[in-house]
């Protein structure tokens, strides 16, 4: 899930490519590179680590040229060093790649036998050599690229240029997204429209199996058989801004603090607060006639889906199957005509979620997707796009996208409950009113920042943490653990509180903090019993609860974070905030790279 850019323009392209790469750094930041053609010759600058290192390199050794390609890498094949950084060259060919060439070992053996030497450990280099070999046999650049593409198996988005031709870029897509940007006498290629937004809002998205020949004043798209194909040119709504951190130290912190506002925007999109009803947003199915709903997603988005299972089943009596997309895609789930599928994704580009969507498409099931980027591939391939109005999320750890996903899902559950006749108009109004209070409670929770920061100081000293919760707080416990491990690198696990005694309790000793998420609800006393079990074994409890819970929890805690009493339906949305704040402050104390934690990328476009 790297980011790629190509520009054939009329001013020096290297700074423009770096600018576009900044907007793609969410896709990976293991290394970055740019190549251009100047006076007929290929030139290249690459640097290990973040884009800023490449900027320094270009500052010391600038690159001229009116045509170029660039890359920001999330390592798959080969360690993240400069040699493995893209662009890769083979004789007259320069190439950048996002994805995985699955038959690269076989191609590498074949090319090695033909005398081609490999400078890097990447799978990408085989593509450059394949094209160079066709050129050496006398093919034109366009024919050489087409022949090489036909040999590739796996997932790829490619941008290719050729020494000696300063008016030719070739792009190809099979899996990861690729967009062509139309300028005035200049053309662009990019992994997404946002990367190209400062240059143009006129975009053509390539479809799987497409490849494109781009010159300054024209472009032609072909399918893999070489037949010309037409793809719609559209106006992108992507904004060109590089969002800044405002007064905040990190994007993650800023995004945590934006939540009252973006939750409110998202809820207003799905709920009519004046009438007290769910809005009748277009859906490709009728909740009333569904037998089952299948939801699939990855990471935090999956956990949002897991929470919604409790809502859909409890409020609407609608059975929900929820799967991690990387499992669902290969599970060969039988589908029936009275089923619908829902996918959840911040980026709308996650490879496993997209593959699951395509499986459902093949099964003929109606598809709705909750995405934060409506123009994304998942958005475009769904029958209905259900947007979260979180705005761009830059921090790799998902925060505001999660609570906006929950806001959309809770609203849909209310709509489903009404459509299926399981809530009266009065009960529906009450639920809508309760949901409308989520932003206010979220604001109140943000005021606990100082207290949470103090708790985080202790947490930053430990090596393992357990999170416990029941009901919707069980997926939230898993989300807490995911947040903590991804940005602080502390090992953490989330468990259903009632499951503790079936194994994990063996881990409890005086060194094990146990974070219990337990608003006062109908099963609160059960969770208190589980806390007693922890306390009896010397475990250190950090309790996140409300006023009533704090008064009734008859157990000694190391810390208690007390939230206001609030309606049950909004607890997963509001309790997500202290969990995010705890992970954030712990990571800050530990001095990790909060917004770009090691080994991760914001958008995961490979399997
Ligand atoms: O873009 P998506 O929502 O499809 O991404 C799914 C996961 O990769 C993502 O939620 C990931 O788990 C986050 N980094 C967690 O904070």
């Amino acid at each position: 899930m790297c980011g790629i850019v190509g520009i054939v323009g009329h001013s020096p392209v290297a700074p423009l490519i770096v600018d576009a790469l900044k907007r793609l750094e969410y896709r990976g930041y293991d290394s970055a590179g740019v190549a251009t053609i100047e006076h007929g010759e290929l030139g290249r600058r690459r640097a290990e680590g973040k884009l800023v290192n490449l900027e320094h390199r270009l500052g010391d050794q600038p690159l001229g040229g009116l045509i170029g390609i660039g890359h920001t890498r999330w390592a798959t094949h080969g360690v993240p060093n400069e040699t493995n950084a893209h662009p890769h060259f083979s004789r007259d060919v320069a190439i950048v790649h996002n994805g995985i060439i699955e038959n690269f070992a076989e191609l590498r053996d074949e090319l090695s036998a033909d005398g081609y030497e490999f400078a890097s450990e990447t799978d990408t280099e085989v593509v450059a050599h394949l094209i160079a070999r066709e050129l050496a046999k006398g093919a034109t650049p366009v024919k050489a690229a087409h022949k090489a593409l036909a040999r590739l198996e796996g997932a790829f988005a490619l941008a290719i240029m050729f020494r000696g031709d300063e008016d030719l870029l070739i792009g190809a897509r099979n899996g990861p997204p690729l967009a062509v940007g139309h300028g005035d006498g200049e053309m662009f290629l990019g992994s997404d429209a946002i990367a190209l937004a400062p240059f143009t809002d006129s975009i053509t998205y390539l479809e799987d199996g497409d490849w494109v020949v781009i010159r300054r004043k024209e472009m032609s798209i072909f399918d893999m058989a070489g037949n010309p194909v037409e793809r719609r040119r559209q106006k992108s709504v992507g904004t060109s801004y590089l969002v800044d951190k405002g007064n905040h130290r990190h994007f993650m912190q800023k995004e945590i603090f934006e939540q009252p506002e973006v939750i409110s925007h998202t809820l207003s999109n799905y709920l009519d607060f004046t009438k007290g009803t769910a809005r009748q947003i277009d859906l490709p199915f009728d909740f009333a006639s569904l037998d089952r709903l299948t939801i699939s997603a990855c990471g935090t988005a999956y956990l949002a889906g897991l929470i919604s299972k409790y809502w859909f089943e409890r409020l609407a009596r609608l059975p929900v199957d929820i799967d991690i997309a990387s499992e669902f895609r290969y599970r060969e789930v039988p589908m029936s005509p009275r089923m619908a599928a829902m996918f959840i994704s911040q980026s709308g580009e996650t490879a496993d979620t997209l593959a699951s969507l395509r499986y459902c498409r093949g099964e003929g099931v109606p598809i709705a997707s909750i995405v934060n980027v409506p123009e994304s591939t998942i958005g475009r391939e769904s029958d209905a796009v259900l947007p979260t109005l979180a705005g761009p999320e830059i921090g790799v750890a998902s925060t505001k996208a999660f609570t906006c996903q929950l806001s959309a899902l809770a609203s849909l559950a209310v709509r489903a409950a009404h459509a299926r006749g399981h809530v009266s108009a009065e009960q529906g109004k009450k639920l809508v009113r309760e949901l409308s209070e989520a932003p206010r409670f979220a604001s109140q929770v943000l005021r606990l920042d100082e207290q949470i920061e103090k708790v985080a100081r202790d947490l930053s000293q430990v090596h393992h943490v357990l999170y416990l919760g029941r009901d919707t707080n069980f997926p939230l416990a898993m989300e807490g653990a995911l947040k903590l491990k991804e940005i602080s690198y502390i090992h953490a696990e989330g468990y259903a509180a009632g499951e503790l005694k079936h194994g994990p309790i063996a881990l409890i000793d005086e060194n094990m903090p146990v974070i219990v998420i337990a608003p006062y609800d109908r099963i609160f006393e059960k969770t208190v019993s589980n806390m007693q079990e922890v306390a009896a074994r010397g475990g250190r409890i950090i309790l996140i609860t409300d006023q009533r819970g704090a008064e009734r929890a008859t157990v000694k805690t190391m810390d208690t974070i007390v939230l206001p009493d609030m309606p049950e339906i909004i607890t997963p949305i509001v309790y997500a905030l202290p969990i995010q704040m705890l992970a954030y402050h712990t990571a800050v104390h530990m001095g990790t790279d909060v917004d770009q934690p090691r080994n991760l990328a914001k958008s995961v476009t490979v399997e």
Side-chain angles (χ1 to χ4, degrees), residues 391-413:
E393 191 180 66
I394 308 296
V396 163
S398 189
T399 52
K400 60 177 182 169
F402 175 64
T403 47
C404 286
Q405 286 159 356
L406 290 177
S407 303
L409 286 160
S411 307
L412 289 167

mmCIF file of all heavy atoms in Angstrom, residues 391-413:
data_model
loop_
_atom_site.group_PDB
_atom_site.id
_atom_site.type_symbol
_atom_site.label_atom_id
_atom_site.label_comp_id
_atom_site.label_asym_id
_atom_site.label_seq_id
_atom_site.Cartn_x
_atom_site.Cartn_y
_atom_site.Cartn_z
ATOM 1 N N GLY A 391 -14.257 13.934 7.920
ATOM 2 C CA GLY A 391 -13.189 14.737 7.319
ATOM 3 C C GLY A 391 -11.938 13.878 7.240
ATOM 4 O O GLY A 391 -11.916 12.747 7.748
ATOM 5 N N PRO A 392 -10.870 14.399 6.607
ATOM 6 C CA PRO A 392 -9.668 13.571 6.446
ATOM 7 C C PRO A 392 -9.094 13.134 7.791
ATOM 8 O O PRO A 392 -8.962 13.956 8.687
ATOM 9 C CB PRO A 392 -8.684 14.498 5.734
ATOM 10 C CG PRO A 392 -9.497 15.614 5.199
ATOM 11 C CD PRO A 392 -10.713 15.743 6.059
ATOM 12 N N GLU A 393 -8.813 11.853 7.904
ATOM 13 C CA GLU A 393 -8.167 11.337 9.118
ATOM 14 C C GLU A 393 -6.719 11.031 8.754
ATOM 15 O O GLU A 393 -6.450 10.198 7.893
ATOM 16 C CB GLU A 393 -8.896 10.086 9.613
ATOM 17 C CG GLU A 393 -8.446 9.652 10.985
ATOM 18 C CD GLU A 393 -9.186 8.405 11.472
ATOM 19 O OE1 GLU A 393 -9.004 7.330 10.856
ATOM 20 O OE2 GLU A 393 -9.931 8.496 12.450
ATOM 21 N N ILE A 394 -5.807 11.736 9.392
ATOM 22 C CA ILE A 394 -4.389 11.635 9.024
ATOM 23 C C ILE A 394 -3.635 10.671 9.939
ATOM 24 O O ILE A 394 -2.814 9.879 9.493
ATOM 25 C CB ILE A 394 -3.706 13.031 9.093
ATOM 26 C CG1 ILE A 394 -4.503 14.073 8.287
ATOM 27 C CG2 ILE A 394 -2.258 12.971 8.622
ATOM 28 C CD1 ILE A 394 -4.581 13.826 6.808
ATOM 29 N N GLY A 395 -3.900 10.741 11.245
ATOM 30 C CA GLY A 395 -3.235 9.835 12.186
ATOM 31 C C GLY A 395 -3.512 8.398 11.771
ATOM 32 O O GLY A 395 -4.656 8.069 11.419
ATOM 33 N N VAL A 396 -2.478 7.566 11.824
ATOM 34 C CA VAL A 396 -2.669 6.175 11.417
ATOM 35 C C VAL A 396 -3.683 5.480 12.335
ATOM 36 O O VAL A 396 -4.488 4.667 11.892
ATOM 37 C CB VAL A 396 -1.309 5.432 11.387
ATOM 38 C CG1 VAL A 396 -1.495 3.933 11.388
ATOM 39 C CG2 VAL A 396 -0.520 5.857 10.149
ATOM 40 N N ALA A 397 -3.652 5.826 13.612
ATOM 41 C CA ALA A 397 -4.625 5.235 14.534
ATOM 42 C C ALA A 397 -5.983 5.885 14.292
ATOM 43 O O ALA A 397 -6.133 7.095 14.384
ATOM 44 C CB ALA A 397 -4.180 5.473 15.970
ATOM 45 N N SER A 398 -6.945 5.063 13.981
ATOM 46 C CA SER A 398 -8.271 5.584 13.660
ATOM 47 C C SER A 398 -8.987 6.020 14.937
ATOM 48 O O SER A 398 -9.058 5.278 15.908
ATOM 49 C CB SER A 398 -9.059 4.489 12.959
ATOM 50 O OG SER A 398 -10.244 5.016 12.459
ATOM 51 N N THR A 399 -9.490 7.235 14.946
ATOM 52 C CA THR A 399 -10.198 7.749 16.124
ATOM 53 C C THR A 399 -11.562 8.294 15.709
ATOM 54 O O THR A 399 -12.585 7.657 15.913
ATOM 55 C CB THR A 399 -9.373 8.866 16.815
ATOM 56 O OG1 THR A 399 -9.012 9.858 15.829
ATOM 57 C CG2 THR A 399 -8.138 8.308 17.481
ATOM 58 N N LYS A 400 -11.522 9.454 15.014
ATOM 59 C CA LYS A 400 -12.807 10.087 14.679
ATOM 60 C C LYS A 400 -13.569 9.282 13.618
ATOM 61 O O LYS A 400 -14.793 9.305 13.586
ATOM 62 C CB LYS A 400 -12.596 11.534 14.239
ATOM 63 C CG LYS A 400 -11.726 11.713 13.017
ATOM 64 C CD LYS A 400 -11.649 13.174 12.620
ATOM 65 C CE LYS A 400 -10.823 13.367 11.374
ATOM 66 N NZ LYS A 400 -10.934 14.700 10.811
ATOM 67 N N ALA A 401 -12.839 8.549 12.769
ATOM 68 C CA ALA A 401 -13.550 7.723 11.781
ATOM 69 C C ALA A 401 -14.352 6.653 12.508
ATOM 70 O O ALA A 401 -15.490 6.337 12.126
ATOM 71 C CB ALA A 401 -12.564 7.089 10.806
ATOM 72 N N PHE A 402 -13.772 6.094 13.585
ATOM 73 C CA PHE A 402 -14.438 5.040 14.353
ATOM 74 C C PHE A 402 -15.742 5.553 14.971
ATOM 75 O O PHE A 402 -16.800 4.935 14.816
ATOM 76 C CB PHE A 402 -13.473 4.557 15.444
ATOM 77 C CG PHE A 402 -14.045 3.543 16.400
ATOM 78 C CD1 PHE A 402 -14.437 2.289 15.960
ATOM 79 C CD2 PHE A 402 -14.167 3.829 17.759
ATOM 80 C CE1 PHE A 402 -14.936 1.335 16.844
ATOM 81 C CE2 PHE A 402 -14.667 2.888 18.651
ATOM 82 C CZ PHE A 402 -15.047 1.638 18.194
ATOM 83 N N THR A 403 -15.679 6.694 15.653
ATOM 84 C CA THR A 403 -16.898 7.171 16.316
ATOM 85 C C THR A 403 -17.936 7.634 15.286
ATOM 86 O O THR A 403 -19.133 7.549 15.531
ATOM 87 C CB THR A 403 -16.586 8.289 17.340
ATOM 88 O OG1 THR A 403 -15.718 9.252 16.731
ATOM 89 C CG2 THR A 403 -15.912 7.715 18.573
ATOM 90 N N CYS A 404 -17.462 8.078 14.104
ATOM 91 C CA CYS A 404 -18.426 8.430 13.051
ATOM 92 C C CYS A 404 -19.044 7.159 12.451
ATOM 93 O O CYS A 404 -20.233 7.146 12.114
ATOM 94 C CB CYS A 404 -17.749 9.266 11.963
ATOM 95 S SG CYS A 404 -17.447 10.952 12.516
ATOM 96 N N GLN A 405 -18.240 6.099 12.320
ATOM 97 C CA GLN A 405 -18.816 4.826 11.856
ATOM 98 C C GLN A 405 -19.887 4.361 12.836
ATOM 99 O O GLN A 405 -20.982 3.945 12.436
ATOM 100 C CB GLN A 405 -17.713 3.768 11.748
ATOM 101 C CG GLN A 405 -16.786 3.976 10.549
ATOM 102 C CD GLN A 405 -15.434 3.290 10.706
ATOM 103 O OE1 GLN A 405 -15.116 2.702 11.743
ATOM 104 N NE2 GLN A 405 -14.615 3.370 9.673
ATOM 105 N N LEU A 406 -19.581 4.458 14.135
ATOM 106 C CA LEU A 406 -20.565 4.052 15.152
ATOM 107 C C LEU A 406 -21.819 4.919 15.062
ATOM 108 O O LEU A 406 -22.936 4.418 15.192
ATOM 109 C CB LEU A 406 -19.955 4.159 16.554
ATOM 110 C CG LEU A 406 -18.865 3.141 16.906
ATOM 111 C CD1 LEU A 406 -18.314 3.424 18.302
ATOM 112 C CD2 LEU A 406 -19.395 1.717 16.834
ATOM 113 N N SER A 407 -21.626 6.212 14.815
ATOM 114 C CA SER A 407 -22.782 7.115 14.732
ATOM 115 C C SER A 407 -23.679 6.721 13.561
ATOM 116 O O SER A 407 -24.915 6.685 13.692
ATOM 117 C CB SER A 407 -22.315 8.563 14.558
ATOM 118 O OG SER A 407 -21.476 8.924 15.618
ATOM 119 N N ALA A 408 -23.064 6.415 12.417
ATOM 120 C CA ALA A 408 -23.849 6.012 11.247
ATOM 121 C C ALA A 408 -24.544 4.676 11.520
ATOM 122 O O ALA A 408 -25.739 4.507 11.222
ATOM 123 C CB ALA A 408 -22.937 5.904 10.026
ATOM 124 N N LEU A 409 -23.814 3.740 12.120
ATOM 125 C CA LEU A 409 -24.377 2.400 12.358
ATOM 126 C C LEU A 409 -25.521 2.444 13.364
ATOM 127 O O LEU A 409 -26.545 1.783 13.185
ATOM 128 C CB LEU A 409 -23.265 1.461 12.839
ATOM 129 C CG LEU A 409 -22.277 1.033 11.738
ATOM 130 C CD1 LEU A 409 -20.968 0.532 12.347
ATOM 131 C CD2 LEU A 409 -22.893 -0.043 10.840
ATOM 132 N N ALA A 410 -25.354 3.236 14.429
ATOM 133 C CA ALA A 410 -26.429 3.336 15.428
ATOM 134 C C ALA A 410 -27.683 3.923 14.775
ATOM 135 O O ALA A 410 -28.799 3.459 15.014
ATOM 136 C CB ALA A 410 -25.977 4.204 16.596
ATOM 137 N N SER A 411 -27.474 4.934 13.919
ATOM 138 C CA SER A 411 -28.620 5.568 13.244
ATOM 139 C C SER A 411 -29.318 4.556 12.334
ATOM 140 O O SER A 411 -30.554 4.504 12.269
ATOM 141 C CB SER A 411 -28.155 6.759 12.402
ATOM 142 O OG SER A 411 -27.393 7.639 13.185
ATOM 143 N N LEU A 412 -28.522 3.747 11.630
ATOM 144 C CA LEU A 412 -29.114 2.740 10.743
ATOM 145 C C LEU A 412 -29.857 1.677 11.543
ATOM 146 O O LEU A 412 -30.896 1.169 11.112
ATOM 147 C CB LEU A 412 -28.018 2.089 9.888
ATOM 148 C CG LEU A 412 -27.431 2.992 8.796
ATOM 149 C CD1 LEU A 412 -26.147 2.386 8.234
ATOM 150 C CD2 LEU A 412 -28.439 3.221 7.669
ATOM 151 N N ALA A 413 -29.323 1.349 12.713
ATOM 152 C CA ALA A 413 -29.999 0.352 13.554
ATOM 153 C C ALA A 413 -31.366 0.882 14.003
ATOM 154 O O ALA A 413 -32.349 0.138 14.053
ATOM 155 C CB ALA A 413 -29.130 -0.004 14.751
#
